[in-house]
Amino acid sequence: MSAPITLVWFRNDLRLEDNTVLQSALTLGLPVVGVFVFDNAVEPHAAANHRRQSFIYDSVLKFQTALSQKNIPLWILHGDTLRQLTELAGKLNAAHLVSGEDYHPNITALGERLWHALNHSNRTYTRISDHVVLPKAAVMTPQGRPYHAFSHYKKSWLQTYAQRYRNGQPRTDWHTLAELQKRLPETATQLPPVPMPSEIGFQYCNYPLPAGEAAAQKQLDHFIGQISSYHLTRDFPAKKGTSQLAAYLNQGMLSARSLAHRVASISNEGAEKWLEELIWREFYQQILYHNPDVVHQSFRPEYHHLHWENREDWFERWKNGETGYPIVDAAMRQLKACGMMHNRLRMITAGFLVKDLLIDWRLGEAWFAEQLLDYDLAANNGNWQWSAGTGCDAQPYFRIFNPVLQSQKFDPDGLYIRRHLPELAHLGKDVIHAPWLAKDSIDTHGYPAPMVDHRTQREKALAMFKLS
Ligand SMILES: Cc1cc2nc3c(=O)[nH]c(=O)nc-3n(C[C@H](O)[C@H](O)[C@H](O)COP(=O)(O)OP(=O)(O)OC[C@H]3O[C@@H](n4cnc5c(N)ncnc54)[C@H](O)[C@@H]3O)c2cc1C
């Protein structure tokens, strides 16, 4: 049997910089070997998201190269995670397994089974908080309960951060790593061939952002250069006013801690607002951890049995960007074409599905999971419930966006709509938000009339929620 090692199970922590999972593995004093497992059963919602899978696949390959430069072999496997990890732990004589904490209920459950299986063979399994700045139970009410209102959570988050976390975490000890890796057994370096996408179960396709930690850092540096105007530009989808970092953060190509640390040291309104968005991310992560049932049902119990209409033909028109509301259709077509959608448009299209089409938010959530490059269960679920009015939000169900007013306000010149709806590209800003109002005086090249009347549907939605 070869000399013992520590196995690091990487999942959404695909980076070298400020990686607390890797750092903790070093403290165990054994050579380190990495493993990544592609397992579609763990995140069934996202299994059909081929774009995201391709992005992760390439990022894992880049990470394997980066790790190899530190003399850490990365085993890339596929199939049932529990089996793959326990078999590999046996084969490489791993005394310890270390991984990041993940609040996805499937992964929490998998972690429990893994812990028992490894314990059974005298191996330890440790989970380290890495994916968020403040771990799940670091921010609680004075009574020790999780927060449900964002404003209170944010206040407490900022206080906790300033008191306990602002100075960051210890950096990775590369010197110790180099010493440990000198004892790396040869079996650990005999990597199997990287599985092909078809073996893993996805079709490799193009995606809109470059993969990997280096690309993530570059995008971060670019964004920091313009962060001072974030609060002014962030709501306008025609501008590149947001960071476009979510996909990197979600797979851990960037450290949330490092971002918070960097941004908290910049004193301007843009940076302050951006830090608030990071706190929203943490808010939904802890909501998922403390309330795993939100994956299947509304956060608010009074909305467990809403009478959705769920018309399939309407759902198809929404997915394909054929609702007749230009701002909704432009956003939905962009999503389908490249997996990207601006936050303001996510709110408009989600609100439209739920409040104008009376379709269950869970169907919309699943469609986003299949399409978004930055798909993340906690953020997607939390925001869909926020949009539906079924979540933990101070504003109840009667916040209903008017898609035409939203369009006029956030895409005033119609630039965004023209980019994604070529059939309306010739229209001026006076008619492009609601072309049907111009009646026969303009040619819309077959663009559909609005599929529903917003005012009528609004009343129906209010009645549906009141009845629950
Ligand atoms: C219906 C709906 C579904 C969503 N689904 C997802 C999803 O699957 N994955 C995802 O990461 N975000 C989701 N969001 C949140 C938000 O739209 C994206 O995080 C944001 O658009 C990503 O772009 P950015 O990186 O340029 O964000 P920026 O504006 O630059 O924000 C910085 C970071 O803060 C975080 N963030 C910003 N807004 C939110 C928010 N409302 N909730 C949680 N975190 C936030 C993200 O990590 C983001 O990268 C959803 C929002 C809505 C309304």
Side-chain angles (χ1 to χ4, degrees):
M1 193 180 277
S2 57
I5 56 128
T6 294
L7 194 56
V8 182
W9 173 27
F10 291 104
R11 279 201 74 257
N12 47 22
D13 35 25
L14 304 178
R15 66 177 186 285
L16 289 178
E17 192 260 344
D18 185 40
N19 189 323
T20 49
V21 183
L22 185 56
Q23 174 55 28
S24 327
L26 299 186
T27 63
L28 296 167
L30 295 176
V32 172
V33 177
V35 55
F36 184 95
V37 187
F38 286 99
D39 180 0
N40 279 342
V42 172
E43 275 193 294
H45 260 59
N49 190 332
H50 300 278
R51 224 167 353 227
R52 177 175 177 269
Q53 297 235 47
S54 305
F55 176 69
I56 295 174
Y57 185 79
D58 286 345
S59 302
V60 171
L61 292 185
K62 284 178 188 282
F63 190 47
Q64 187 182 46
T65 307
L67 284 173
S68 75
Q69 284 157 8
K70 298 283 181 195
N71 202 15
I72 302 175
L74 179 69
W75 290 62
I76 304 178
L77 307 173
H78 71 103
D80 179 66
T81 305
L82 183 73
R83 192 168 146 218
Q84 295 296 332
L85 290 178
T86 47
E87 281 184 8
L88 187 65
K91 180 177 171 144
L92 301 184
N93 189 23
H96 313 287
L97 179 75
V98 183
S99 77
E101 253 183 349
D102 192 318
Y103 305 151
H104 192 303
N106 290 1
I107 297 162
T108 310
L110 173 64
E112 292 307 308
R113 285 188 287 135
L114 193 54
W115 188 85
H116 284 290
L118 291 171
N119 242 323
H120 196 66
S121 51
N122 287 327
R123 305 177 207 284
T124 71
Y125 174 34
T126 317
R127 279 165 278 189
I128 305 292
S129 175
D130 179 76
H131 199 52
V132 287
V133 184
L134 304 192
K136 63 211 182 234
V139 184
M140 304 290 267
T141 65
Q143 293 74 34
R145 286 198 283 272
Y147 282 100
H148 290 167
F150 176 73
S151 54
H152 297 141
Y153 176 82
K154 179 187 154 191
K155 198 170 163 211
S156 182
W157 191 100
L158 286 168
Q159 280 166 356
T160 313
Y161 182 67
Q163 285 158 6
R164 290 180 20 212
Y165 292 88
R166 200 179 177 127
N167 293 329
Q169 306 267 335
R171 299 274 136 186
T172 310
D173 183 351
W174 297 120
H175 176 72
T176 302
L177 174 76
E179 288 302 309
L180 292 175
Q181 297 310 86
K182 286 180 185 160
R183 292 190 270 131
L184 193 64
E186 208 187 315
T187 41
T189 63
Q190 290 160 359
L191 300 180
V194 176
M196 299 299 290
S198 56
E199 293 173 81
I200 295 167
F202 72 94
Q203 220 174 339
Y204 187 86
C205 60
N206 290 334
Y207 47 84
L209 298 174
E213 184 179 357
Q217 281 294 343
K218 197 167 162 201
Q219 176 63 18
L220 171 63
D221 291 340
H222 169 75
F223 174 68
I224 292 291
Q226 61 181 60
I227 199 168
S228 60
S229 56
Y230 176 73
H231 60 301
L232 302 173
T233 54
R234 63 184 287 270
D235 259 322
F236 298 92
K239 299 186 175 156
K240 279 198 166 168
T242 69
S243 69
Q244 305 220 326
L245 291 175
Y248 298 118
L249 263 168
N250 293 341
Q251 297 315 131
M253 285 169 245
L254 290 174
S255 147
R257 264 178 319 282
S258 296
L259 293 196
H261 193 59
R262 190 158 168 190
V263 172
S265 65
I266 306 174
S267 58
N268 63 46
E269 224 179 303
E272 216 172 279
K273 187 73 193 156
W274 200 74
L275 183 62
E276 180 176 304
E277 299 309 309
L278 280 189
I279 304 173
W280 270 109
R281 176 178 180 270
E282 307 250 318
F283 177 66
Y284 286 131
Q285 287 283 338
Q286 60 92 37
I287 288 286
L288 178 63
Y289 175 77
H290 293 291
N291 309 273
D293 287 349
V294 293
V295 175
H296 306 291
Q297 61 192 19
S298 61
F299 177 84
R300 290 175 178 238
E302 63 267 36
Y303 301 135
H304 281 177
H305 304 291
L306 287 168
H307 295 288
W308 304 103
E309 292 191 359
N310 286 348
R311 277 188 56 171
E312 268 177 45
D313 53 336
W314 283 14
F315 187 42
E316 286 306 307
R317 286 184 68 171
W318 177 79
K319 287 200 291 190
N320 292 321
E322 293 166 357
T323 68
Y325 284 89
I327 194 74
V328 173
D329 293 340
M332 294 307 294
R333 288 196 208 172
Q334 186 195 10
L335 176 68
K336 198 171 174 190
C338 72
M340 303 287 274
M341 196 196 278
H342 187 278
N343 181 60
R344 172 58 49 182
L345 301 173
R346 296 186 203 201
M347 293 197 283
I348 296 173
T349 54
F352 188 81
L353 184 81
V354 173
K355 309 277 174 62
D356 284 79
L357 303 185
L358 307 174
I359 291 178
D360 192 332
W361 59 269
R362 285 169 287 203
L363 293 171
E365 184 201 8
W367 178 247
F368 272 29
E370 227 176 274
Q371 299 297 321
L372 281 173
L373 187 75
D374 65 21
Y375 167 66
D376 169 77
L377 176 67
N380 199 40
N381 180 279
N383 280 286
W384 266 97
Q385 296 230 30
W386 182 94
S387 298
T390 61
C392 43
D393 181 10
Q395 286 247 23
Y397 64 86
F398 45 76
R399 176 196 39 230
I400 297 184
F401 284 169
N402 178 320
V404 176
L405 296 183
Q406 288 282 314
S407 185
Q408 287 165 340
K409 188 167 175 193
F410 296 110
D411 187 27
D413 298 324
L415 289 177
Y416 175 80
I417 294 176
R418 271 184 221 109
R419 217 175 277 161
H420 296 281
L421 298 183
E423 65 269 48
L424 301 186
H426 60 294
L427 298 185
K429 64 181 182 182
D430 48 335
V431 289
I432 197 161
H433 306 285
W436 64 91
L437 295 178
K439 301 228 162 58
D440 294 335
S441 66
I442 52 166
D443 188 352
T444 52
H445 306 295
Y447 182 72
M451 63 188 284
V452 288
D453 172 57
H454 173 68
R455 257 196 278 175
T456 312
Q457 295 305 106
R458 183 178 182 282
E459 293 311 313
K460 281 194 191 173
L462 289 173
M464 179 181 80
F465 274 91
K466 272 187 206 140
L467 261 179
S468 71

